[in-house]
Amino acid sequence: MTWGIIGAMPSEIALLETQMSNVKKETISGLSYQSGTIRGKDVVLCCSEIGKVNAAMCAQTLALRYNVGCMINTGVAGCTCEDLGVLDLVLSRDLVFHDYDWKLQEKYHPHTSRFPGDPKLIELAKKALEQIPGRDYQYKLGRIATGDVFVDDEDLRRSIIERTEPDCVEMEGAAIALVAYSNQIPCLVIRCMSDNANGDAGMSFDTFEKIAADHSAKLLLSMLELAE
């Protein structure tokens, strides 16, 4: 099986790039795809750049061009729940869009507004988390809400929470999950909290982005190590 791995920003795939061997690069629709191996597993790694359209374009390329057996989206997010904080982690129980009318989405393709994380990938991630040495952060299985905006406003944060009840917010995950769902490919989104999606989000993001990105990437490396 080939693992399709997407990060939106260079920081989100930087650690993974250092672990790749037998690398071959290809540019498709302006995005660079790196195929090779990590921890003995075949992978295709891509930096999609930010936003839903870029993420969906990248995911569809992984499905059609590389025929990946699963998709993992690794990266950072803004926390919107009370039981986690900065540098804690969310695994996607399900994903939704916070800037799209759910009724319309359920009326038209793909006729659902919620995209579940794959149970087998979730269990593998949980197992990997419990085996990470010296892990000093919490994690939970939760809802991730996606939209084309960096959430750093208290009113917007409150509105998103009221409408979608997410554990964190970001800009790509649900788009990738929608493509994976449409192509019947198992998918998991891993998000480490870089900020609290509030008025201090910009400052917190600048401070913790790299650490949070590496937390997510290290979990993925452990998953690859454990996978059969």
Side-chain angles (χ1 to χ4, degrees):
M1 180 180 78
T2 299
W3 293 59
I5 303 172
I6 302 172
M9 300 179 293
S11 63
E12 293 173 330
I13 66 167
L15 179 60
L16 299 169
E17 287 179 305
T18 69
Q19 303 297 306
M20 288 189 72
S21 57
N22 306 314
V23 179
K24 295 181 180 179
K25 295 184 179 181
E26 185 175 18
T27 300
I28 302 172
S29 302
L31 296 178
S32 177
Y33 297 80
Q34 303 178 68
S35 56
T37 58
I38 300 178
R39 305 291 165 89
K41 307 302 188 299
D42 293 330
V43 304
V44 180
L45 179 64
C46 182
C47 180
S48 68
E49 305 293 345
I50 66 171
K52 296 186 301 184
V53 175
N54 282 334
M57 181 172 66
C58 180
Q60 189 67 13
T61 298
L62 290 177
L64 296 183
R65 171 69 178 85
Y66 294 101
N67 193 31
V68 297
C70 70
M71 290 188 197
I72 307 290
N73 179 208
T74 178
V76 305
C79 185
T80 52
C81 63
E82 298 298 327
D83 51 343
L84 295 181
V86 172
L87 299 183
D88 289 334
L89 192 143
V90 174
L91 306 175
S92 60
R93 180 192 72 228
D94 64 3
L95 297 105
V96 300
F97 293 102
H98 67 70
D99 59 354
Y100 190 12
D101 186 326
W102 286 11
K103 291 182 180 179
L104 279 177
Q105 194 168 26
E106 291 169 357
K107 182 177 180 181
Y108 299 100
H109 178 81
H111 305 288
T112 181
S113 57
R114 297 167 178 82
F115 305 95
D118 179 72
K120 291 183 179 179
L121 290 173
I122 289 170
E123 289 307 310
L124 180 61
K126 287 181 177 180
K127 184 177 179 181
L129 278 161
E130 295 302 330
Q131 295 186 20
I132 292 177
R135 179 175 61 85
D136 59 356
Y137 55 88
Q138 301 181 74
Y139 73 90
K140 70 180 294 187
L141 185 63
R143 169 168 291 174
I144 299 173
T146 298
D148 278 322
V149 61
F150 179 76
V151 180
D152 59 357
D153 176 83
E154 293 283 1
D155 290 339
L156 177 58
R157 182 182 193 271
R158 190 178 308 111
S159 172
I160 292 171
I161 291 172
E162 289 174 354
R163 288 182 285 110
T164 66
E165 300 180 335
D167 293 287
C168 63
V169 292
E170 40 83 282
M171 299 177 66
E172 296 83 26
I176 293 167
L178 184 157
V179 172
Y181 177 88
S182 298
N183 287 277
Q184 299 182 325
I185 297 172
C187 179
L188 179 66
V189 176
I190 301 168
R191 286 288 182 263
C192 187
M193 306 301 100
S194 61
D195 57 82
N196 286 308
N198 56 17
D200 296 324
M203 183 182 302
S204 179
F205 176 85
D206 290 342
T207 302
F208 295 109
E209 173 203 351
K210 183 64 169 64
I211 301 171
D214 283 352
H215 276 355
S216 292
K218 287 176 181 177
L219 169 56
L220 180 48
L221 289 173
S222 295
M223 290 173 65
L224 290 166
E225 188 79 39
L226 291 173
E228 298 180 354

